[in-house]
């Protein structure tokens, strides 16, 4: 079981955390909503919570709620640039179908 | 798939519901757009990686509009249709702009164009028709909106747009109108120095006084800010609207002309040398000398060495010209240099070492320079926009603006009743009930005033309107609710409503009523200086109102019942008391008036009792006990 970050993504996350001045890492998860059923959650984490699973990838701590894990296990986070836009890309092997923009998905 | 950004804990947006918000620095020379992404405020660049969008708009014959660098490039070829520095015309009339003969534009008065805009407001005749400064600014904002929506891959929920602290209501309203025209939802207008302070995180710093030194391309502004409880208040502003980085370029240009014995150059050569001069100025920021080379149109070769030292010497008096406004701003705010806790540098020209040194010497401390001075205002606006769009948790600060002066209403006797006290955080709404002064009064005049003084005549009149159609009632029984409301941009609306009949009247305090911050500071100082006088003046007026009310009531009573209920002697005694009161009313001693009022009151106690008895017996006449029982 794991969630990983590419080197580039990890570098950006660390940079963002430094600028923010607090936080222990990233919280990644899913929730049910959106046009295709599920949506990703990507937040700064200030502290680990009760049942959180912890992964460390390229120096970044990733916290995942156990309920979310089956939907995103094996996922890799990348940081990329598309035209003027830039941000995190989720390469999730569990996704069977996604809405046009990929913001929500089905497993 | 879509690219995601990191949210604050618990604030992940639902899919397709990103609360994208930007901060826009709508500058005189350049404009920028910034946003908060992954918790960091950053300026959004265009496709070519440029952050600054020159605030230049060109209208062409085929109806196309060029904005930014493209328009700037053809400025000298098509000066009439290429509008630069439109910010100077926002919310202004021809009379405000002053000497327009140096400007290449064809100005027209809005009244003559049938545009529906207020007469006196200026407009520009271009090849694509008549354009208002609002429309020109909207083109700049629209270009930034498109850039932001491409960068953020979504529609914006709103924008915070910065304006100079000294912008009055008309200029602020014009800025809002331009944003609306550009399809932007304005979350708030933010003062530029405040935005710069936020970018430096001063809002999280300890409370205190800060100076913001803003030397841009063509304008210089100094602002003194006071931070208390996370709220910035602009205490004073000053500046020079014709001093900026361009003047430094011009010094080098003149030096080049002199050194090479050149006289008047053509437009092309002038532009070439100014561009070289600017490059040299920028080089000298971190080098001690630079070389300027150019080939003019007639083949003359320019090749000159300029040292940092020479540049400092030739620009010394330009730097010195910023010191005087700084002194004035401090004086207006009633502060000394030692009280300033921090100094923020804004504007590209503050990169010049001689400017930084002069500011450091003046304030006896190193100014804050670690953020890019061109971007600092936009960065702060983006942070504010991010908060207003709801991307920060509620327990974190929310920057509020405050009303700089109290807003009140005129009451009887020319006194001010404050409805919204100064330093109230805005937006705000306050209501107060008033009543009628005379029997059968059917109209009430609402006079909206601004200021700290007790007497209306010492305050600033903002607006006046009448509430008509109040049903005739006994004095004091009507209930008129007056509501003052200030929206987030500092615009005031006032309404009055008679509660029983529901008749209502309201007014929006129109643009052009704005006060410069220097005036605000002056009014505040006045109020402190005159606090004691004002208290006495208020006490006097209150006594005068009470005395006049009493005199009128006694007079009416004497006319009605005097002969019936009182002997000549008793009437005489009351009249003596009335005369005594009238005499003291001529004077200005409120205590004497108070004494005379109370003497007259005492003298009429028996009379008032007799009148009460009379009216009761009158009321009872013709009725029997059983009628009164239930």
């Amino acid at each position: 079981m794991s969630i990983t970050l590419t080197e580039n993504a990890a570098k950006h996350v660390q940079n963002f955390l430094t600028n923010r001045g607090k936080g222990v890492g990233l919280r990644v998860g899913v929730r049910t909503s959106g046009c295709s059923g599920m949506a990703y959650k990507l937040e700064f984490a200030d502290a680990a919570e009760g049942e959180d699973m912890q992964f460390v990838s390229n120096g970044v701590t990733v916290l995942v709620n156990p309920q979310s894990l089956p939907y995103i296990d094996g996922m890799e986070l990348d940081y990329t640039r598309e035209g003027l836009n830039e941000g995190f890309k989720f390469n999730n092997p569990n996704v069977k179908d996604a809405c046009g923009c990929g913001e929500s998905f089905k497993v | 798939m879509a690219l995601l950004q990191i949210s604050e804990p618990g604030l992940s947006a639902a899919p397709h519901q990103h609360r994208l918000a930007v901060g826009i620095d709508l500058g005189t020379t350049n404009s920028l757009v910034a946003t908060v992404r992954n918790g960091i405020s950053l300026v959004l660049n265009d496709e070519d990686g440029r952050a600054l969008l020159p605030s230049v708009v060109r209208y062409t014959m085929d109806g196309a509009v060029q904005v930014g660098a493209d328009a700037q490039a053809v400025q000298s070829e098509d000066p009439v249709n290429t509008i630069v520095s439109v910010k100077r015309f926002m919310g202004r009339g021809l009379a405000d702009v002053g000497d327009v003969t140096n400007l290449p534009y064809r100005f027209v008065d809005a009244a003559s164009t049938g545009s529906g805009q207020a007469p006196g407001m200026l407009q520009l005749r271009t090849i694509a028709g008549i354009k208002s400064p609002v429309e020109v600014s909207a083109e700049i904002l629209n270009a930034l909106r498109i850039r932001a929506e491409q960068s953020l891959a979504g529609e914006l929920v709103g924008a915070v747009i910065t304006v100079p602290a000294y912008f009055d209501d008309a200029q602020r309203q014009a800025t809002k109108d331009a944003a609306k025209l550009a399809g932007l939802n304005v979350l708030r207008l933010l003062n530029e120095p405040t935005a710069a302070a936020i970018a430096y995180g001063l809002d999280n710093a300890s409370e205190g006084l800060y100076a913001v030194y803003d030397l841009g391309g063509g304008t210089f502004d100094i602002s003194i800010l006071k931070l208390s409880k996370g709220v910035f208040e602009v205490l004073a502003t000053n500046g020079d609207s014709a001093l900026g980085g361009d003047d430094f370029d011009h010094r080098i240009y003149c030096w080049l002309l002199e050194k090479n014995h050149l006289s008047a150059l053509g437009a092309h050569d002038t532009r070439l040398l100014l561009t070289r001069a600017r490059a040299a100025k920028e080089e000298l920021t971190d080098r001690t000398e630079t070389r300027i080379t150019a080939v003019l149109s007639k083949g003359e070769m320019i090749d000159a060495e300029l040292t940092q030292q020479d540049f400092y010497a030739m620009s010394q008096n330009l730097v010195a010209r910023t010191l005087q406004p700084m002194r004035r701003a401090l004086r207006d705010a009633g502060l000394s240099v030692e009280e300033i806790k921090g100094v923020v540098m804004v504007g590209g020209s503050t990169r010049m070492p001689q400017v930084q040194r002069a500011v450091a010497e003046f304030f006896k401390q190193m100014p804050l320079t670690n953020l890019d001075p061109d971007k600092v205002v936009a960065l702060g606006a983006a942070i504010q926009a991010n908060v207003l769009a709801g991307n920060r948790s509620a327990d974190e600060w929310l920057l509020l603006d405050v009303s700089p002066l109290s807003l009140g209403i005129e009451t009887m006797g020319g006194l001010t009743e404050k409805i919204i006290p100064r330093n109230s955080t805005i937006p705000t709404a306050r209501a107060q009930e008033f009543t009628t002064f005379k029997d059968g009064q059917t109209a009430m005049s609402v006079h909206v005033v601004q200021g700290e003084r007790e007497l209306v005549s010492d305050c600033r009149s903002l607006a006046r309107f009448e509430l008509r159609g109040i049903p005739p009632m006994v004095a004091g029984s009507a209930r008129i609710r007056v509501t003052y409301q200030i929206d987030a941009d500092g615009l005031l609306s006032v309404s009055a409503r008679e509660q029983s009949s529901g008749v209502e009247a309201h007014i929006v305090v129109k643009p052009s009523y704005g006060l410069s911050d220097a005036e605000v500071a002056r009014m505040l100082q006045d109020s402190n200086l005159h606090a004691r006088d004002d208290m006495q003046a208020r006490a006097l007026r209150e006594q005068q109102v009470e005395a006049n009310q009493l005199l009128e009531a006694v007079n009416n009573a004497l006319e009605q019942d005097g002969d019936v209920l009182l002997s000549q002697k008793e009437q005489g005694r009351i009249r003596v008391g009335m005369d005594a009161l009238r005499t003291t009313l001529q004077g200005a001693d409120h205590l004497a008036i108070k004494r005379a009022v109370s003497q007259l009151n005492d003298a009429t106690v028996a009379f008032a009792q007799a009148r009460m008895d009379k009216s009761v017996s009158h009321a009872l006449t013709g009725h029997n006990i059983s009628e009164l029982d239930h």
Side-chain angles (χ1 to χ4, degrees), chain B residues 22-25 158-162 185 187-190 381 384-385 388:
Chain B
V22 295
I24 292 179
D25 174 2
V160 166
I161 300 176
T162 59
N185 169 34
L187 296 169
R188 182 168 293 183
L189 298 180
L190 185 65
Q384 174 79 341
L388 292 174

Side-chain angles (χ1 to χ4, degrees), chain B residues 29 216-218 243-251 274 278 281 349:
Chain B
T29 317
L243 176 63
D246 299 346
D247 297 295
F248 289 77
D249 302 347
H250 203 257
R251 281 295 149 90
L274 279 172
R278 187 192 170 114
K281 173 187 74 176
S349 307

Side-chain angles (χ1 to χ4, degrees), chain B residues 88 217-220 239-244 247 318 321:
Chain B
R88 294 186 194 270
T219 54
F220 169 63
D240 188 336
S241 58
L243 176 63
D247 297 295
L318 291 176
R321 269 172 64 192

Side-chain angles (χ1 to χ4, degrees), chain A residues 16 19-20 26 31 33-35 39-44 46 79-80 84-90 99 101 103, chain B residues 1-16 18 37-38 40 45-47 150-151 153:
Chain A
F16 298 148
N19 269 281
R20 189 167 171 265
L26 273 190
R31 46 185 186 163
S33 74
C35 44
Y40 295 113
K41 192 163 122 174
L42 178 64
E43 296 175 355
F44 289 111
D46 285 327
Y79 194 85
T80 64
L84 285 177
N85 191 15
E86 55 186 273
F88 292 90
K89 200 177 184 131
F90 287 43
C99 76
C101 67
E103 272 195 58
Chain B
M1 65 162 275
L3 300 179
L4 293 179
Q5 316 294 334
I6 312 174
S7 305
E8 283 297 311
L11 292 171
S12 285
H16 318 291
H18 302 284
R37 225 186 215 177
N38 300 308
I40 295 177
N45 293 343
D46 67 4
E47 292 89 342
Q150 284 175 357
S151 302

Side-chain angles (χ1 to χ4, degrees), chain B residues 490-527:
Chain B
L491 298 175
L492 170 71
S493 57
V494 176
S495 63
R497 179 189 165 89
E498 201 286 309
Q499 300 291 73
S500 64
S501 61
V503 292
E504 200 174 324
H506 78 281
I507 199 166
V508 174
V509 173
K510 293 211 178 73
S512 87
Y513 279 112
L515 279 177
S516 75
D517 287 287
E519 283 173 278
V520 170
R522 185 185 52 71
M523 291 174 78
L524 288 177
Q525 278 170 344
D526 276 3
S527 98

Side-chain angles (χ1 to χ4, degrees), chain B residues 407-424:
Chain B
L407 292 162
I409 188 170
E410 174 173 355
T411 58
M412 283 308 294
L415 294 174
T416 317
E417 179 80 32
K418 284 172 191 157
I419 295 192
I420 298 182
R422 76 177 283 256
N423 280 342
S424 299

